[in-house]
Amino acid sequence: MKLPQDRTVANVVSLVLCGILAGVVIAAAAFPAVGVSGLTAKSASDSFSDLPAELKIPPVPQISTLLASDGKTEIARFFEENRRNVKLADIAPVMRQAVVAAEDNRFYEHQGVDARGIVRAFVKNQSNGETTQGASTLTQQYVRWILKYGAQNDAEKKLATEDTAGRKLREIRYAIALEKELSKDQILENYLNINFFGNQGYGIYAASQAYFSKPPSQLTLPEAAMIAGMAQNPTQYNPVNKQNGTKAALDRREYVLNQMVKLKYVTQAEADAAKKAPLGLKPKASSGRCENGNTNFGFFCGWFLDWWKSNPAFGKTRTEREENLNKGGYKIVSSLDVRMQNGAQKQIDQRMGADNRFATGIVMVEPGTGRVKAMAINRKFGIKKNPGGKTYPYTTNPLLSGSQVSPGYQAGSTFKMFTAVAALEKNIPLSHSIYAPDRYTSQYTGSCKTGGNKYCPKNASKQMQGLQTMSSAFGESANTYFIPLEEQVSVKSAVDAAEKAGVEFRASVDVDNKKAAQTDPTAWGSFTLGTAQVSPLDMATAYATIAARGKYCAPLPLKSIADQDGKQLTELANPTCKQTIPQEVADAAADMARCPVGDNSMVGLNCTHAGGVRTAASISREIDRPVAGKTGTTDDNNAAWFVGFTPNLSAAGFLANPDKYSDQVPNTQIPIDATREALNTALQKLPVKNFVAPTNKLAFGVRVTVPFTTGDSVDAATSKLRSAGFEVRVSPTRENSDQGEGRVARTDPAGGSSSTKGGVVTITVSNGQAPEPDKPEDGQDPGDGIRDQICAANPDLPMCQNN
């Protein structure tokens, strides 16, 4: 490759030639239609010298690639122009030579402008009477692309692309200046990366893939000659375009090969052999966005894209953020773990196909980072038309991550966790005892199946009736324990605990209920039984907060991200975490959550009351390490859930009909079984970690005797109870009693019993009417022997010692 011996002399010659020829020759050579009237050598020279010489090189749009956490498995690409920059060393030498031969055979001799080529083009075009030959060097062509991409508005875009002598003058001026700043190899590399070669091939990397499905380092002589031929007219010479056929491409390839012989890049024999070679096309279509990416990871990809567009770090608006993704050339290594994803998807596929109207899926989240490890569901992420007007199997709705369009599903008894957290935050311990009847009439407004206008849920089984602690009630999922516990702590506090853990309320009815519960103690009593709609991502995140000892981490799809220059943008990939729940509260909640799954309390609390049954004992039989979790079903089995966790992984599985919430699910065991197996597989390569035992204070509390207040005025009773260290709640419902109207009929816990200092004592006031004869339901405890029941269920309590 011959280089000029004196760049200074060449620069002067170029400038002089350009100054003389700019007004007349350039216009005639490149734009004969413009003519030469009104242009003189003097005026052209003056305007040329007045043009700025400094050219700001903007970033060129490149593909952003989303990879799995292994840094290898591609999930999707995002782009407006299919381009990926490569180094010159990664481009086959014959490709570099071919483009020089095709577009600028004096590239290594001129200094940005080829004066000889300008004169030649001028003469040729004048003899033809039309523009048949251009005179732009590779450097000028590169300048043209820079001006196009650097345009900030329509006017600048027009200036960069209009067919005028003025544009040509600007290109010449910038090309000369650019050659002083960059080496020939740098200019050639940049040109090869910026130029359009047709067939969605922006830049040589994409072109090599688009025509031959190979990287540019592996291009052969005939392949390189064909691609180089595309530079002049990507539409006319495109062999993939069936309207053109292959003749135009072959003719153009032959021209390039002949030029390479003239420049002594190849021998005549090599060129002749290349001319005889078939085109050998292996076109590779390149499509962007999640619906065209790896179908196994589509829903994760969809959530990633929504996360990106919602993140102010990537732009001022959602539109700007998406444009930055499509142009930024980011290499994004996501949090998605291929092994965990495949394991979860396998369990889902084994239990329910994509053609089922019910959706079932699993989301896995890493406690302490919020990184989402898996998102599996029995749907296909895509925009294909579904048969028979159905909404499945193809959809792009965020069925796992939630949105205003798809707010989620009622989570059932998994929400009892948040009432428990609210209670623990008020120093109500795990041993806190409440009698759980088969059905409980609450203070909350709502209809009751047995009559009345008070919400009155019942338990799933009569076996749950009896004296329960927080741990045993959670283990058995006793509704009629958690409703009175919710009354003690307030719905407002339970909602607050859910939000601190990571739950987001999207459905308008839930937003309204939340607002009502802020001021009305009788509103949204069903909250603790999971009537709010939430996503599986919400629940996996919320239980991950408990697993991380109360540290909430916003769901994160990233492991790392680098810009198009390879610079790691560490701050964008770092977890966003904060301590939202006290560590000791989360530790106690995690200990309680070991009860449903067949594990044991670390402080010896019983996980069921006498005769009770755990709701998901199979979990600990399968998962041989400390594990916790909670099942959840709704009234009439409209949805089924299981959320399980260890200190280093949280998983939420669900089953529901996304289009008709009232449908009964076919098998409530599906989320338990699928999540158990997926979680067990995912944990195989993770270290065994232990939970932290709860403090004695939150396990057992400080026990004090409840004062007798029956017959007292409400004010007097309140004073006594507060003096003893209790919080006081007055039930809004009055009841029949031997006491006078307005007097204390009873308290819960009862006067004389032992309860937790700092806990809530509920005062029930007499309505002045005599009580009806006591007719306890079958199996109902009449109220005697409360202490005996507590000690029978939990013999290790301090109050039960030395009896």
Side-chain angles (χ1 to χ4, degrees):
M1 295 180 181
K2 183 180 179 181
L3 293 175
Q5 295 179 349
D6 193 336
R7 291 179 69 100
T8 303
V9 173
N11 285 342
V12 172
V13 172
S14 294
L15 284 169
V16 171
L17 280 171
C18 291
I20 295 173
L21 296 174
V24 181
V25 177
I26 299 300
F31 308 104
V34 175
V36 296
S37 62
L39 290 174
T40 67
K42 174 69 168 61
S43 64
S45 179
D46 289 344
S47 62
F48 181 83
S49 62
D50 291 338
L51 287 171
E54 184 178 350
L55 180 63
K56 184 177 180 181
I57 302 177
V60 177
Q62 292 191 56
I63 296 169
S64 290
T65 306
L66 180 65
L67 305 171
S69 63
D70 59 11
K72 300 176 182 179
T73 305
E74 185 174 297
I75 296 175
R77 298 179 180 184
F78 303 92
F79 58 85
E80 287 183 1
E81 295 181 357
N82 182 23
R83 177 187 287 108
R84 179 181 295 171
N85 285 356
V86 289
K87 298 294 183 183
L88 194 64
D90 294 323
I91 302 171
V94 288
M95 184 66 243
R96 304 177 225 164
Q97 295 164 343
V99 80
V100 170
E103 293 297 305
D104 187 0
N105 57 25
R106 287 173 47 78
F107 175 66
Y108 289 100
E109 298 173 25
H110 63 67
Q111 297 307 305
V113 180
D114 185 2
R116 187 186 303 174
I118 290 174
V119 174
R120 183 177 64 250
F122 170 69
V123 173
K124 181 72 173 178
N125 292 339
Q126 290 301 302
S127 65
N128 291 343
E130 60 182 10
T131 303
T132 60
Q133 192 172 108
S136 291
T137 64
L138 285 178
T139 311
Q140 288 174 256
Q141 292 182 48
Y142 174 48
V143 166
R144 193 176 309 154
W145 281 107
I146 292 174
L147 293 174
K148 176 184 174 183
Y149 284 121
Q152 299 296 312
N153 50 53
D154 291 340
E156 290 183 7
K157 289 180 182 177
K158 182 179 179 181
L159 282 173
T161 57
E162 62 184 354
D163 288 342
T164 64
R167 189 206 81 194
K168 204 74 170 180
L169 284 173
R170 286 191 299 275
E171 289 178 3
I172 290 172
R173 179 66 164 157
Y174 283 133
I176 293 170
L178 196 64
E179 290 256 356
K180 296 177 182 179
E181 301 296 327
L182 302 178
S183 69
K184 287 292 186 180
D185 279 355
Q186 287 175 313
I187 293 171
L188 181 58
E189 177 183 303
N190 292 349
Y191 171 84
L192 283 165
N193 280 315
I194 203 171
N195 196 63
F196 178 56
F197 294 96
N199 201 35
Q200 290 191 315
Y202 288 88
I204 188 58
Y205 180 89
S208 184
Q209 294 286 341
Y211 292 112
F212 300 109
S213 297
K214 62 169 60 174
S217 60
Q218 297 177 11
L219 289 171
T220 63
L221 174 60
E223 291 169 346
M226 194 214 80
I227 291 177
M230 298 291 107
Q232 186 182 88
N233 193 323
T235 301
Q236 180 179 346
Y237 300 125
N238 186 350
V240 178
N241 185 339
K242 294 183 180 179
Q243 291 181 342
N244 298 336
T246 59
K247 185 178 186 305
L250 288 169
D251 290 345
R252 182 64 180 167
R253 184 182 73 173
E254 183 172 338
Y255 164 78
V256 175
L257 289 167
N258 289 338
Q259 289 295 101
M260 293 180 76
V261 172
K262 290 181 182 179
L263 294 176
K264 299 182 180 180
Y265 289 150
V266 297
T267 65
Q268 186 65 56
E270 289 172 327
D272 290 342
K275 291 175 187 178
K276 295 177 182 178
L279 285 177
L281 296 173
K282 294 181 180 179
K284 181 179 181 180
S286 185
S287 300
R289 298 184 62 85
C290 298
E291 56 268 26
N292 300 312
N294 191 316
T295 57
N296 293 331
F297 313 135
F299 285 89
F300 176 89
C301 182
W303 170 64
F304 159 80
L305 182 58
D306 186 65
W307 174 87
W308 180 284
K309 292 192 292 185
S310 301
N311 194 326
F314 302 115
K316 294 180 180 179
T317 65
R318 289 179 68 88
T319 299
E320 182 179 320
R321 293 162 199 158
E322 187 168 17
E323 286 179 355
N324 288 337
L325 178 64
N326 290 337
K327 295 178 180 180
Y330 296 103
K331 179 182 178 182
I332 304 162
V333 179
S334 77
S335 58
L336 185 134
D337 185 294
V338 173
R339 183 181 64 85
M340 294 185 186
Q341 174 70 25
N342 290 342
Q345 192 64 55
K346 177 182 177 181
Q347 295 303 321
I348 292 299
D349 292 342
Q350 284 179 350
R351 288 167 173 81
M352 190 167 285
D355 58 349
N356 197 302
R357 74 179 188 275
F358 288 96
T360 185
I362 298 170
V363 173
M364 294 184 177
V365 173
E366 182 177 64
T369 67
R371 290 193 170 100
V372 177
K373 296 295 187 178
M375 296 183 86
I377 192 170
N378 67 324
R379 290 287 190 270
K380 297 179 180 180
F381 191 89
I383 56 176
K384 292 183 180 180
K385 187 176 181 180
N386 288 305
K390 296 177 181 178
T391 60
Y392 53 89
Y394 296 101
T395 183
T396 57
N397 284 343
L399 301 179
L400 292 170
S401 52
S403 70
Q404 297 298 321
V405 175
S406 180
Y409 325 94
Q410 292 187 352
S413 292
T414 60
F415 261 44
K416 289 171 182 171
M417 170 63 77
F418 309 125
T419 302
V421 167
L424 291 163
E425 287 184 311
K426 294 180 181 291
N427 291 315
I428 298 175
L430 298 175
S431 62
H432 183 60
S433 299
I434 297 175
Y435 182 83
D438 183 49
R439 185 182 293 277
Y440 178 77
T441 301
S442 72
Q443 72 183 41
Y444 301 114
T445 302
S447 62
C448 181
K449 290 184 178 180
T450 60
N453 61 354
K454 296 297 181 181
Y455 182 55
C456 62
K458 64 177 298 183
N459 292 324
S461 167
K462 287 185 178 292
Q463 285 181 300
M464 299 178 192
Q465 182 172 294
L467 199 67
Q468 297 272 15
T469 64
M470 199 184 304
S471 292
S472 68
F474 201 77
E476 298 178 37
S477 200
N479 296 337
T480 62
Y481 176 96
F482 279 92
I483 292 295
L485 183 64
E486 182 183 53
E487 290 176 330
Q488 293 177 18
V489 301
S490 80
V491 173
K492 178 181 178 180
S493 296
V495 169
D496 183 55
E499 290 186 315
K500 288 190 296 185
V503 170
E504 181 178 347
F505 301 108
R506 302 176 183 86
S508 58
V509 63
D510 295 332
V511 173
D512 291 343
N513 283 334
K514 173 191 167 183
K515 182 178 180 181
Q518 302 306 300
T519 56
D520 183 357
T522 68
W524 211 9
S526 62
F527 175 82
T528 193
L529 303 188
T531 55
Q533 292 174 263
V534 291
S535 75
L537 178 58
D538 286 336
M539 294 309 295
T541 298
Y543 275 59
T545 300
I546 303 301
R549 304 191 69 200
K551 181 189 287 186
Y552 163 76
C553 297
L556 181 65
L558 301 185
K559 182 178 178 183
S560 68
I561 178 172
D563 63 18
Q564 60 180 258
D565 296 322
K567 179 184 177 182
Q568 287 293 327
L569 307 178
T570 307
E571 67 281 1
L572 298 179
N574 284 340
T576 302
C577 304
K578 58 183 177 180
Q579 194 77 33
T580 58
I581 296 170
Q583 284 187 345
E584 62 273 16
V585 168
D587 293 340
D591 191 75
M592 172 191 71
R594 299 178 74 168
C595 288
V597 301
D599 213 335
N600 294 313
S601 165
M602 297 179 74
V603 291
L605 286 165
N606 287 342
C607 281
T608 63
H609 83 309
V613 178
R614 304 176 194 239
T615 57
S618 66
I619 302 299
S620 66
R621 290 197 295 267
E622 182 83 14
I623 299 175
D624 186 21
R625 62 173 69 198
V627 64
K630 183 70 183 77
T631 55
T633 54
T634 61
D635 285 349
D636 301 320
N637 291 338
N638 302 137
W641 288 74
F642 176 71
V643 188
F645 64 97
T646 66
N648 48 7
L649 192 62
S650 173
F654 84 102
L655 172 63
N657 184 343
D659 303 311
K660 188 178 180 182
Y661 293 134
S662 60
D663 268 10
Q664 286 192 0
V665 299
N667 183 353
T668 60
Q669 191 68 27
I670 286 176
I672 298 174
D673 293 343
T675 308
R676 179 191 65 234
E677 297 303 318
L679 190 57
N680 191 39
T681 298
L683 289 168
Q684 294 304 310
K685 293 189 178 181
L686 298 184
V688 175
K689 289 189 175 182
N690 292 313
F691 293 106
V692 177
T695 62
N696 281 337
K697 180 180 178 181
L698 287 183
F700 304 108
V702 176
R703 309 296 292 189
V704 294
T705 301
V706 179
F708 288 98
T709 58
T710 300
D712 290 349
S713 68
V714 173
D715 287 345
T718 299
S719 179
K720 284 183 183 179
L721 292 167
R722 286 178 176 169
S723 295
F726 296 102
E727 291 188 24
V728 179
R729 169 184 167 271
V730 179
S731 172
T733 303
R734 297 193 172 194
E735 65 180 32
N736 297 348
S737 171
D738 292 330
Q739 305 304 317
E741 183 177 2
R743 294 285 173 172
V744 175
R746 62 180 177 87
T747 62
D748 185 15
S753 66
S754 175
S755 191
T756 307
K757 187 175 182 178
V760 177
V761 174
T762 301
I763 293 174
T764 301
V765 179
S766 171
N767 61 15
Q769 298 182 26
E772 296 179 1
D774 188 16
K775 295 181 180 180
E777 297 179 16
D778 292 344
Q780 182 178 353
D781 189 281
D784 295 332
I786 296 295
R787 178 171 175 169
D788 291 341
Q789 288 192 51
I790 294 174
C791 293
N794 299 280
D796 295 328
L797 290 176
M799 64 175 285
C800 302
Q801 303 302 310
N802 302 318
N803 287 340

